[in-house]
Amino acid sequence: MRRSLTGHMIPRMITPPKVAAPSMEARKRVALVAHDNKKEDLLDWARFNQGTLSRHELSGTGTTGNLIHTRLGLPVQRLLSGPLGGDQQLGALIAEGKLDVLIFFWDPLEPQPHDTDVKALLRIAVLYNIPTACNRATADFIVSSHLMAETYGGPLAPATATEAKPVA
């Protein structure tokens, strides 16, 4: 005899709390990351935006961080290589509130041995409302925003129906 599932038998996803955008100082903490086939693209972008990037605190995974430091002369906190835990280190920085912006030029056409880490990093960036660029156009929009040079308090969570007050 086959039983049908009832509502109490189906596990329910717990709705995560709403997370407001983090409070950010004018000097942002920016992570620069690129997969192998995208490193030159990121370096070209970073070279073009070198003046802006020099006003912020930079971090990068493995080879990417080293390339930005050696080729552009920018100070970069270098983490482990992505496949060796660098992506997870970035995720931890986000969770600890120590990262404000993620610039991650990843290669959508090339399978990566650490795809699960990449997905986890992007997921935590979205969960913590971190401005994230995965391509040059989005990175350009982020660094050219006036918010990049200002303190940013983040939007407030929307009011619930019981908190909403009529405007007189």
Side-chain angles (χ1 to χ4, degrees), residues 93-112:
L93 289 174
I94 291 170
E96 293 170 358
K98 296 179 180 176
L99 191 66
D100 300 318
V101 176
L102 175 62
I103 308 294
F104 187 177
F105 286 17
W106 60 280
D107 188 351
L109 301 177
E110 188 71 30
Q112 301 294 324

Side-chain angles (χ1 to χ4, degrees), residues 1-64:
M1 181 170 145
R2 188 172 168 181
R3 291 193 230 175
S4 62
L5 294 176
T6 59
H8 71 280
M9 299 170 87
I10 301 171
R12 297 180 189 262
M13 297 281 300
I14 297 172
T15 305
K18 291 185 179 181
V19 178
S23 177
M24 301 176 201
E25 299 300 320
R27 180 176 164 93
K28 306 291 187 284
R29 296 161 300 179
V30 180
L32 301 170
V33 187
H35 285 156
D36 289 343
N37 292 343
K38 298 291 184 174
K39 288 192 190 318
E40 289 302 320
D41 291 343
L42 182 65
L43 280 168
D44 288 342
W45 177 84
R47 187 176 294 109
F48 183 81
N49 292 287
Q50 189 168 353
T52 301
L53 293 174
S54 68
R55 294 188 290 273
H56 301 284
E57 184 181 324
L58 306 178
S59 60
T61 55
T63 308
T64 306

